Amino acid sequence: MSTTAELLKGAAELFPDEVVTSAHVRHFELPAGAGRFALITLDNGFDHTKPTTFGPQSLANLNTAIDQVEAEAANGEIVGVGITGKPFIFAVGADLKGVELLKKHDEALAIGKGGHDVFKRLSALAVPTFAYYNGAAMGGGVEVGLHCTYRTVSKALPAFSLPEVFLGLVPGWGGCAILPNLIGAEKAVSVIIENSLNQNRQLKGKQVFELGIADAIFEGADFLEQSLIWTASVLNGSVTVERPEVDRGEAWDQAVAKGRLVADSKVHGAAPAAYRALDIIEAAKDGDLQKGFDAEDQALADLIMGGELRSGIYAFNLVQKRGKRPAGAPDKSLARPVTKVGVVGAGLMASQLALLFLRRLEVPVVLTDIDQERVDKGVGYVHAEIEKLLGKGRINQDKANRLKGLVSGVLDKAAGFADADFIIEAVFEEMSVKQKVFAEVEAVAPAHAILATNTSSLSVSEMASKLQHPERVVGFHFFNPVAILPLLEIVRGEKTDDASLATAFGVAKKLKKTAVLTKDAPAFVVNRILTRFMGEIQNIIDEGTPVAVAEKAVEPLGLPMSPLVLLELVGPAIGLHVSETLNRSFPERFKVSPNLKAVVEAGKRGFYVYNAENGFKPELDPEVAALLKQGDVVLTEEQARDRVLDAVAQEIGLMLEEGVVAEAQDIDLCLITGAGWPFHLGGITPYLDREGVSERVNGKRFLAQGVASVPA
């Protein structure tokens, strides 16, 4: 049997570039004469912008610190042990860069076992142990605290979570076993499964306390001081910590069953992590923690060697790193300042854009439209949304007044845009309309102003072709709902210059959007892929496959919604318009479905109806069913899925050949941030590689082995 130290030494050798966390031990006398206390502080030597993590050497350092306090506790030299983090950060879990390097199951098993062996020593000490969650705590950072006897949390703590399932793992250092035994299965399933699968939702300090994860909560300013006073009170018996009894009966089983329903609704059985976590929670009902730890080790090792986790880490890195440093963006020093924004149009999309620019840039924003009623309605929408923010306590009255004062509406573009630096149009998606708008704007806007278009599929170069200064036109394609979806496709027209592009990227950063540079190609990235994806499903239906079979065929991808539900959200008329645009460019691959056309002409909002009798599940609308004219080619789910995936792989291959984006990574980043495609797919290209579709269609993988997959 390897000792913990040997296990960790072996793992550290595999990971020479680890950012190592130290575990400093210091001693002092607790207040009120409660005795001598040892405090372990986790610190990687960097400021809060580089959060503390646990790689193998970091775990070894904590292990050494525990050796010291264990001996002191055994000798009666201390009355308790605390663990806390550096300013603003407690610890954010396992170092995922190390996980990516693992090639063998036994290496992965050693990581799980090493973490358990170190952490569980905290609960085995001869004195009580205390975790002081002073700042951000995630994954293994949360779990090290769960192994302590007591926990306190800062009111100022901004983010606390067990995000492993979101990435394709399970909380593998005690989370699945200890948390349900601490706060009950229902709350544990909410934290481990529901929050993870809801885009990695974070808890704040107050919620951590209310859930019963922490025993006490204190203000951020003197958090550690107050925690130590409380610790003294616990140790001298003047404070008794009482926790509600955990229901180990039917409530436990119901919680697990609910968790499975949540997992089914989010990933449709397509990613194993949530189900593995639920199995461990289910088995933890008898309170046998060691059995739970062993199950966590096994699940961790299996998942580390699986494709979903590698895709999850890849997706996480895309969003956190590539998303913040867009490929191909010009030097940011070329960007011009933006002190006033103009919005052409005052409809829903334009009003959402005005609100976003107003909130993020806090500069004057002026809307224009063709009549006063529309202008007033647009400004009214922005005012109403500011009132909602005020009502929720997200902004104070002063800020609400200031923001309202910054937004205005005018009919006269000359009056509104004469001193604007950035003007975006959000008018009807038709080339002649957009060209007319840009000609009017160019006539009144200052020479340096950027002219941006929120087009979803039209050519930016053609839109700019009749202007005197086409170099300042840039595509700035947002996704609906604007406030929620992070993606912004920034489109470089044929004549767009670097200064205009740099300004667009600078604005995108201030808007807190994930910007991806795309070539001026039909429908850019997301709409082109989604139209090919949904178009192939529509083709399969038109040829004769039942609607339900075609829809069910892509369920194993675990997408946020089925294709026809997505079509309903987008609007069949918009779907038809984009497919017609792409059909003009690529008629051999993008057909215009006569059935979709019939649905739009009939004024239907989608293929489905929803009623209370069947629990509002989608059912094919009988009126739509009557409109459908189908052939006699009926495919199985598997055949339909192959057809759809082959079409998507072909389209992505062609887009990369055309240079629509720099690399396959940008395609994945776009699908994750613009269409909500799951992390466990890594967007799409890792999934196509993993399923052998890329090689079948294009003769090669999109990504090298070891990128979003286990290294060879």
Side-chain angles (χ1 to χ4, degrees), residues 26-39 77-82 127-130 132 224-237:
R26 59 193 169 112
H27 299 86
F28 43 79
E29 292 295 324
L30 285 171
R36 190 163 181 261
F37 190 76
L39 181 68
E77 295 168 22
I78 53 174
V79 293
V81 175
V127 293
T129 48
F130 298 78
Y132 307 128
L224 190 56
E225 188 184 338
Q226 291 300 321
S227 291
L228 292 170
I229 292 169
W230 180 85
T231 298
S233 303
V234 170
L235 290 172
N236 67 25

Side-chain angles (χ1 to χ4, degrees), residues 121-169:
R121 294 181 69 196
L122 288 165
S123 57
L125 292 179
V127 293
T129 48
F130 298 78
Y132 307 128
Y133 291 125
N134 64 302
M138 293 167 204
V142 168
E143 289 171 302
V144 71
L146 293 178
H147 284 268
C148 294
T149 326
Y150 304 101
R151 286 155 294 282
T152 67
V153 67
S154 166
K155 269 188 192 170
L157 182 143
F160 182 104
S161 63
L162 289 169
E164 288 83 353
V165 166
F166 176 67
L167 293 171
L169 273 178

Side-chain angles (χ1 to χ4, degrees), residues 5 107 109 177 227 268 423 562 588 614:
E107 293 170 356
L109 201 59
S227 291
H268 311 287
I423 301 161
S562 77
E588 68 290 353
N614 75 337

Side-chain angles (χ1 to χ4, degrees), residues 286-300:
D286 62 4
D288 183 342
L289 292 182
Q290 188 52 53
K291 188 176 78 177
F293 297 163
D294 293 342
E296 286 175 349
D297 286 344
Q298 203 53 55
L300 211 56

Side-chain angles (χ1 to χ4, degrees), residues 252-271:
W252 194 291
D253 302 331
Q254 285 172 348
V256 172
K258 184 189 171 194
R260 292 193 197 283
L261 287 174
V262 170
D264 287 343
S265 74
K266 292 290 184 182
V267 299
H268 311 287

Side-chain angles (χ1 to χ4, degrees), residues 62 97 280 308 543:
L62 179 56
K97 293 195 294 298
I280 301 167
E308 284 82 7
E543 289 165 19

Side-chain angles (χ1 to χ4, degrees), residues 457-611:
S457 59
L458 301 176
S459 167
V460 174
S461 305
E462 191 182 337
M463 219 176 283
S465 61
K466 296 180 179 175
L467 298 179
Q468 288 177 312
H469 295 285
E471 70 278 359
R472 57 178 172 159
V473 177
V474 64
F476 215 61
H477 179 218
F478 290 88
F479 289 78
N480 219 347
V482 170
I484 294 168
L485 288 175
L487 180 64
L488 184 51
E489 291 177 340
I490 295 187
V491 187
R492 180 171 210 154
E494 283 168 21
K495 302 265 177 77
T496 309
D497 64 19
D498 281 353
S500 301
L501 205 58
T503 307
F505 274 100
V507 169
K509 190 169 186 181
K510 284 184 179 160
L511 294 175
K512 298 187 178 173
K513 291 294 180 187
T514 299
V516 174
L517 179 62
T518 149
K519 186 178 167 186
D520 186 18
F524 318 124
V525 180
V526 173
N527 284 344
R528 179 161 164 187
I529 293 168
L530 288 186
T531 305
R532 185 76 201 272
F533 172 76
M534 290 162 73
E536 202 54 48
I537 287 168
Q538 192 69 61
N539 293 342
I540 289 164
I541 292 168
D542 292 353
E543 289 165 19
T545 298
V547 170
V549 175
E551 283 264 86
K552 211 163 175 341
V554 293
E555 260 188 15
L557 276 73
L559 299 177
M561 61 189 77
S562 77
L564 292 182
V565 172
L566 175 63
L567 181 69
E568 210 166 281
L569 187 73
V570 170
I574 293 172
L576 179 66
H577 174 77
V578 177
S579 72
E580 287 170 343
T581 302
L582 282 159
N583 171 259
R584 286 194 290 275
S585 302
F586 311 115
E588 68 290 353
R589 298 196 310 281
F590 290 87
K591 295 178 182 160
V592 177
S593 162
N595 281 323
L596 179 58
K597 210 167 189 174
V599 167
V600 172
E601 282 167 1
K604 303 302 288 183
R605 291 180 60 185
F607 276 62
Y608 293 130
V609 286
Y610 303 83
N611 52 60

